[in-house]
Amino acid sequence: MAGQRVAALAELVENQATRVVLDGVPIAVVKDSAGDVHAIGDTCTHGEISLAEGFVEDETLECWAHGSQFSLVTGKPLNLPAYEPVPVFPVEIIDGDVYIDPSVPKVNQ
């Protein structure tokens, strides 16, 4: 993977999203309660709101403005008003650092 370093794993706060912009792509980076790191598109598909300002619970990220929840694994919305998924990006942990490739979103499953 030709990812870009975004942070040290130790810098990420559990159950809190961090917004990064890689090659012009806004991404919400989340370390969930299990310690897994996820990277999803940072813009809510319902209201053009930064998802990184939302709330993390288990494997979901909730938009603070209208309550849509997105799966951190698939990017799919789990409730209305959002009905379009956000992209999910590959994450790699190398020597304690988090790398993300913004050019290759995973296929939403």
Side-chain angles (χ1 to χ4, degrees):
M1 179 175 100
Q4 297 179 42
R5 183 189 180 279
V6 295
L9 181 59
E11 294 173 342
L12 297 179
V13 178
E14 187 177 294
N15 290 327
Q16 181 176 319
T18 301
R19 184 179 194 269
V20 298
V21 179
L22 301 176
D23 297 338
V25 179
I27 298 172
V29 182
V30 177
K31 181 166 65 171
D32 66 20
S33 57
D36 296 323
V37 178
H38 306 273
I40 67 172
D42 184 46
T43 306
C44 178
T45 56
H46 169 255
E48 300 284 318
I49 303 291
S50 171
L51 290 174
E53 297 175 17
F55 312 101
V56 177
E57 185 175 338
D58 300 323
E59 291 185 342
T60 65
L61 179 54
E62 180 178 331
C63 178
W64 65 269
H66 299 107
S68 289
Q69 295 178 332
F70 295 86
S71 166
L72 293 171
V73 176
T74 67
K76 291 182 179 181
L78 303 175
N79 62 330
L80 295 174
Y83 58 89
E84 293 290 325
V86 294
V88 175
F89 300 93
V91 175
E92 208 171 14
I93 310 298
I94 302 172
D95 297 329
D97 289 325
V98 179
Y99 290 82
I100 297 170
D101 188 346
S103 65
V104 186
K106 296 179 188 177
V107 175
N108 290 322
Q109 301 170 357

